[in-house]
Amino acid sequence: MPETKIRVLIVDDDQDQLSLVERTLSAFGFDVRTHRSSLGVSNLVRTTQPDLVLLDVNIPALSGDKVLTLARGQAPKGTKFILYSASDESQLRALARSSGADGYICKSVQGEELAQRLEALHLKPAASEAVQAAR
């Protein structure tokens, strides 16, 4: 784990899942904040300035891919958005690609593997940076 903690905002309406992921990532040295609604995520991203936003795809009011579109405009440069779902991996991959997410992780990924994947995504250039670099 790097010296400075990776700031992660987890957005999920399932309190049990939210608590589990928060405990897991905190144990691996992440600075974790949680939010249980798709509403208000844009403001939270702007004020807390997370490095990573882990977004549940199937969340009431606005789906994770819609939240991503709204929140990206408020996020500091370099913030990465990762879709998180129990959906079929191929569907999740396609949704991540079509929505401009920086990555995706299936909810079946837990513990140390989840922490390692988030660390790897943190080090990877953001999708918005990669598009600009390609120009």
Side-chain angles (χ1 to χ4, degrees):
M1 210 53 218
E3 299 241 348
T4 57
K5 290 185 175 188
I6 298 171
R7 294 179 316 272
V8 180
L9 172 62
I10 307 165
V11 181
D12 197 323
D13 62 314
D14 180 337
Q15 183 60 50
D16 292 336
Q17 180 71 22
L18 203 58
S19 296
L20 174 66
V21 175
E22 179 182 21
R23 280 192 316 272
T24 298
L25 294 180
S26 293
F28 283 97
F30 288 80
D31 178 7
V32 181
R33 293 187 187 239
T34 62
H35 191 66
R36 287 195 55 200
S37 171
S38 58
L39 304 175
V41 172
S42 292
N43 286 333
L44 199 53
V45 165
R46 185 176 37 78
T47 58
T48 64
Q49 302 188 347
D51 299 307
L52 302 171
V53 180
L54 193 59
L55 281 170
D56 180 19
V57 171
N58 301 313
I59 193 165
L62 284 173
S63 61
D65 57 318
K66 303 289 189 251
V67 172
L68 183 155
T69 302
L70 295 170
R72 189 172 300 276
Q74 300 295 316
K77 184 179 179 177
T79 299
K80 296 181 182 121
F81 290 83
I82 296 101
L83 297 184
Y84 191 55
S85 178
S87 300
D88 175 72
E89 185 172 357
S90 62
Q91 290 176 338
L92 184 56
R93 182 183 319 112
L95 183 60
R97 214 176 272 137
S98 68
S99 67
D102 297 287
Y104 67 91
I105 298 177
C106 295
K107 285 189 176 183
S108 60
V109 175
Q110 295 290 322
E112 186 175 359
E113 185 180 359
L114 176 61
Q116 289 172 345
R117 287 196 187 182
L118 288 174
E119 286 175 10
L121 285 164
H122 176 65
L123 296 173
K124 187 175 137 185
S128 58
E129 294 170 6
V131 168
Q132 289 191 1
R135 290 182 180 172

